[in-house]
Amino acid sequence: MTGDTSAYWAACRRGELVVQRCTDCGRRVHLPEAACPWCGGGGLVFEPVSGDGVVHTYTVVHRSFAPGYRGREPYVLAWVDLPEGARVFGQVVGCAPDEVRIGMPVRVTFVDDLPHWRPL
């Protein structure tokens, strides 16, 4: 955790999802960045979001190269569109991998202080 991301991880520990908003261009930024990837501005503030979203795209992982996930296969990783204008990343939990669909409504849940997504 660095100074640029400590507010994000503190919110996750509280069970709250926050994303950055650029004070220069107004775009939402996730994952946390030191500068806005859209305009290069450095004025990024963390703001809470609803935690509801829709699966934009996903993949089912059958063979993990991440040591912490080996033996948990298959699992689903997804990009989720939030109504606040951000696209966020995380694991889909609470359903079988073959039940996940593009356009599926999901809500954030936290597992080990990491944002995951479960079906509504």
Side-chain angles (χ1 to χ4, degrees), residues 18 23 29-30 42 77 110 117-118:
V18 297
T23 58
V29 178
H30 189 272
L77 297 176
F110 291 87
W117 300 91
R118 61 179 169 77

Side-chain angles (χ1 to χ4, degrees), residues 2 7 9-10 13 32 38-39 41 46 54 56 62-63 91 96 104 107-108 119:
T2 67
W9 295 114
R13 284 191 300 277
W38 307 106
C39 74
F46 286 97
V54 175
H56 175 80
H62 293 277
R63 182 176 176 205
Q91 185 176 349
M104 183 173 79
R107 177 168 291 145
V108 73

Side-chain angles (χ1 to χ4, degrees), residues 55 58-60 69 72 74-80 89-101 104-112 114-120:
V55 173
Y58 68 95
T59 188
V60 179
Y69 286 86
R72 297 182 187 186
Y75 59 89
V76 177
L77 297 176
W79 284 102
V80 174
F89 186 75
Q91 185 176 349
V92 177
V93 297
C95 67
D98 62 354
E99 295 173 1
V100 177
R101 297 287 181 262
M104 183 173 79
V106 291
R107 177 168 291 145
V108 73
T109 187
F110 291 87
V111 178
D112 298 326
L114 293 174
H116 289 58
W117 300 91
R118 61 179 169 77
L120 286 179

